[in-house]
Amino acid sequence: MKRIINTVLIVSTLSVAGFALNSCQDALDITQPGELQEDGVYTSVSNLNEVLNGSIYGQLDPIDEIYFTGVFTDEVKPGFGSGGQEFELHRYFLDPATAVVGGGTVSTGSSDGIWLNNYRVINRVNRLLEGAKNVTPTSPAEQATYNGILAQARAIRAFCYVQLETYFSTNMKDANALGVILLKDVPATDAKLPRSKNQDVYDFINADLDYARGILSYNTSAASRYSVSKGFVNALSARFNLYRGNNALAKQYAKDVIDNSGLALTEANPAQPAGDNPPAIGSAAWNSAFYATASSFNPYRNLWNDSSRGEIIFSLNRLPLGAGQTIGSRWNTNQSNINGVPMWVWGRNLYNLFQNIPGDIRKYTYVDPSSEPNPNYQDPNQDPLDDAIIIDKYPGKTSTATRNDLKVFRLSEMYFILAEAETAEGNLSVAHDLIQKVRVARNYAGTATTPAYSSAQFAYADILKERRIELALEGHRYIDLKRLATIAGVTMDRNAIDDTVPVTNLPNNSYKYTLPIPVKETSANPNAQQNPGY
């Protein structure tokens, strides 16, 4: 058993990259609990909990997925502070060997980073589960803690496999299509495992989710958004089943979260600070109160500056000096205003969408007031970089301007999943009403409107439109275009000024809507079959 637990590397990618999983080289913060020598790790329930918090939660980080999706799709365009980083990615160059440098932070690549980080977390979960076999709880309370640790770890492993399947499976709706490498335990360092078919990976995901669901419960406390709970498990189940085409289960689990999580959609009101003479919306005085560093008077803004939970089901805590990368520095070098050297700004067509909705709070929440949109952006003689629409969806925390929690699951996504499932079942009016609820919540003027859904195609297009606005820069757009663009009758939607060269949109059904298996994996593991087109 000890030989297996002491295994340093489990995937060829990790071996080639040279990450030692029991050393501080691959830890994000050397003060994290869980950085213990192997002989001292798996000896007690307390140590298991330290490994869970420091080595698994501390490493879980979908920032590569968020950044890749934003740059590759139609969410962002180069800002005037750009040094040309990831222009190739923005122009759809996907290479199994490509490395990406984002926001001043070195990433292991558009596919490398996603592949490597998720397998690193899976490896750590597998090692914890193996080590836990040597630990015997000594009381009922300790047994409950022990069970909770295993349940959280297995739910996180399921999340990582869903992430991998989302980006690397050619077709999640085909149970027999090629999935990813399935690691059920800690194999020998020289193992060269093939990719499994989707159904085998799905069975493993479902086993983890069922186990966690049977132990964990919903928790409505503010701090509970940072811990895996039944809300995380069922939200993940809803997303996973939607992606794989099981609409009945997607609907079941999304509804369970909506009905039983104790959360409600975060409201756009109050839209003005309290008082007899509140400042006009958009005025300097209003901006000062709305964009306040510590907290705003507005509930939806407070969701994004991390001063309140709002509708967040699960979020990765990013303390000012703690583990995890800074999401804000992927878009703005040092702060989310026009003086923060913006490397990426909002794509013009996406900005136009939420800017032109009367009463929509997101036009303020997502865009810093120092922005300088170019009113003549449609003039072909204008400089494409002279359209400074500053991203402020991640405004930072009080002491760290570029650091925010990563919102992994929010209640609005559950409404979108439910609406999509209802559309698939032909319940167009039900789907319409679900989307309308989200729009009403985001509208401070009471003017939210959703047109009648006259056909499934129209419904899918409107759901995709609302997902594009609400979930912008949360890592959804890439897979949403892959899943929905064709049946919705739409395509990727970049404006002509979204690049310094002539703009194109990636065609629907392009092989590039599936990422390549990193060359670090395929070169060291000949059994890892490459995806078509690469």
Side-chain angles (χ1 to χ4, degrees):
M1 177 68 70
K2 183 177 178 182
R3 184 191 69 80
I4 298 177
I5 293 176
N6 281 342
T7 296
V8 175
L9 307 164
I10 60 167
V11 185
S12 300
T13 292
L14 299 180
S15 180
V16 174
F19 283 93
L21 297 184
N22 64 348
S23 77
C24 63
Q25 293 179 25
D26 110 290
L28 294 175
D29 188 329
I30 60 173
T31 63
Q32 284 286 331
E35 288 178 22
L36 306 173
Q37 295 302 313
E38 293 286 1
D39 289 342
V41 174
Y42 308 113
T43 60
S44 68
V45 172
S46 177
N47 283 351
L48 290 176
N49 197 52
E50 287 180 333
V51 174
L52 174 69
N53 290 324
S55 190
I56 295 175
Y57 276 109
Q59 188 61 49
L60 187 63
D61 197 346
I63 197 169
D64 280 320
E65 290 93 318
I66 295 172
Y67 185 70
F68 164 77
T69 294
V71 173
F72 191 79
T73 67
D74 49 15
E75 292 189 319
V76 300
K77 69 187 189 75
F80 63 78
S82 174
Q85 70 281 351
E86 285 84 72
F87 274 25
E88 293 86 357
L89 184 64
H90 190 57
R91 296 165 188 171
Y92 318 125
F93 289 99
L94 285 180
D95 188 321
T98 297
V100 172
V101 180
T105 301
V106 176
S107 167
T108 49
S110 57
S111 62
D112 280 20
I114 297 170
W115 181 271
L116 177 62
N117 192 64
N118 282 292
Y119 273 118
R120 185 189 292 125
V121 175
I122 289 168
N123 175 61
R124 292 182 174 194
V125 171
N126 289 347
R127 288 154 61 86
L128 181 146
L129 296 176
E130 284 285 358
K133 295 176 182 178
N134 295 332
V135 176
T136 302
T138 58
S139 69
E142 199 170 66
Q143 182 69 57
T145 300
Y146 177 90
N147 293 343
I149 291 169
L150 269 57
Q152 291 174 71
R154 291 185 64 171
I156 289 171
R157 182 170 66 177
F159 173 81
C160 290
Y161 272 120
V162 172
Q163 291 291 93
L164 288 166
E165 284 283 308
T166 297
Y167 287 90
F168 295 99
S169 174
T170 55
N171 182 5
M172 287 188 72
K173 293 185 178 180
D174 181 356
N176 293 312
L178 205 56
V180 295
I181 297 172
L182 184 56
L183 301 169
K184 297 183 178 181
D185 49 27
V186 185
T189 57
D190 59 352
K192 292 178 172 58
L193 301 176
R195 295 171 65 182
S196 298
K197 67 178 183 179
N198 282 337
Q199 189 60 58
D200 293 334
V201 182
Y202 294 169
D203 290 344
F204 195 65
I205 291 170
N206 281 323
D208 277 348
L209 292 173
D210 288 343
Y211 178 86
R213 188 179 294 110
I215 293 174
L216 301 174
S217 60
Y218 284 110
N219 191 331
T220 58
S221 69
S224 69
R225 68 184 186 270
Y226 299 125
S227 299
V228 168
S229 67
K230 193 171 184 177
F232 175 102
V233 174
N234 284 344
L236 176 58
S237 298
R239 182 189 292 177
F240 166 53
N241 281 292
L242 183 77
Y243 288 0
R244 66 181 290 210
N246 191 327
N247 293 302
L249 286 179
K251 179 177 176 179
Q252 173 187 322
Y253 289 118
K255 191 173 188 305
D256 193 280
V257 175
I258 291 170
D259 292 344
N260 299 312
S261 66
L263 301 173
L265 290 168
T266 304
E267 298 288 337
N269 283 306
Q272 293 173 287
D276 293 335
N277 296 296
I281 294 174
S283 65
W286 185 88
N287 287 343
S288 179
F290 183 84
Y291 296 99
T293 302
S295 65
S296 170
F297 60 83
N298 183 266
Y300 193 68
R301 177 65 177 181
N302 284 337
L303 183 157
W304 292 104
N305 64 28
D306 302 333
S307 64
S308 71
R309 177 177 185 173
E311 65 181 48
I312 297 171
I313 300 165
F314 177 76
S315 190
L316 286 165
N317 194 0
R318 293 296 177 254
L319 298 173
L321 299 177
Q325 301 177 63
T326 55
I327 181 64
S329 65
R330 294 300 179 103
W331 325 112
N332 306 293
T333 304
N334 46 46
Q335 54 188 338
S336 58
N337 59 46
I338 202 164
N339 296 318
V341 192
M343 295 170 294
W344 297 98
V345 298
W346 287 112
R348 174 45 90 155
N349 287 346
L350 176 55
Y351 169 74
N352 287 346
L353 274 179
F354 49 74
Q355 181 66 20
N356 293 327
I357 302 172
D360 199 306
I361 198 64
R362 293 169 296 194
K363 72 176 69 177
Y364 299 105
T365 304
Y366 293 178
V367 183
D368 190 77
S370 66
S371 297
E372 296 180 354
N374 185 354
N376 301 315
Y377 72 91
Q378 292 178 307
D379 184 344
N381 295 317
Q382 294 290 309
D383 183 350
L385 300 184
D386 187 22
D387 194 40
I389 309 170
I390 310 301
I391 295 168
D392 199 28
K393 191 168 185 175
Y394 297 101
K397 296 175 184 287
T398 301
S399 58
T400 312
T402 60
R403 197 167 184 80
N404 278 110
D405 298 341
L406 296 184
K407 289 74 176 173
V408 178
F409 292 109
R410 294 194 293 118
L411 199 65
S412 56
E413 184 191 354
M414 299 301 106
Y415 278 85
F416 298 149
I417 290 172
L418 194 54
E420 196 174 323
E422 295 286 7
T423 299
E425 294 179 356
N427 302 321
L428 301 185
S429 62
V430 177
H432 166 278
D433 293 347
L434 290 163
I435 298 302
Q436 174 68 1
K437 285 182 180 179
V438 176
R439 287 175 173 159
V440 167
R442 302 296 182 253
N443 198 286
Y444 59 82
T447 56
T449 56
T450 299
Y453 289 174
S454 56
S455 67
Q457 183 182 72
F458 185 88
Y460 283 125
D462 198 53
I463 293 168
L464 183 58
K465 175 184 175 181
E466 191 60 26
R467 287 181 67 98
R468 183 185 182 190
I469 299 170
E470 173 68 16
L471 303 178
L473 295 187
E474 295 180 59
H476 294 269
R477 182 64 172 169
Y478 176 74
I479 187 61
D480 283 352
L481 287 168
K482 179 179 180 177
R483 296 185 309 105
L484 293 177
T486 298
I487 61 174
V490 300
T491 64
M492 189 185 286
D493 181 35
R494 288 185 179 177
N495 192 279
I497 66 164
D498 279 2
D499 204 339
T500 55
V501 298
V503 169
T504 61
N505 284 294
L506 193 68
N508 291 347
N509 304 314
S510 169
Y511 73 89
K512 293 183 179 181
Y513 278 117
T514 301
L515 290 185
I517 306 300
V519 70
K520 291 177 182 177
E521 182 67 50
T522 58
S523 63
N525 178 6
N527 295 321
Q529 183 178 334
Q530 184 56 271
N531 277 324
Y534 298 104

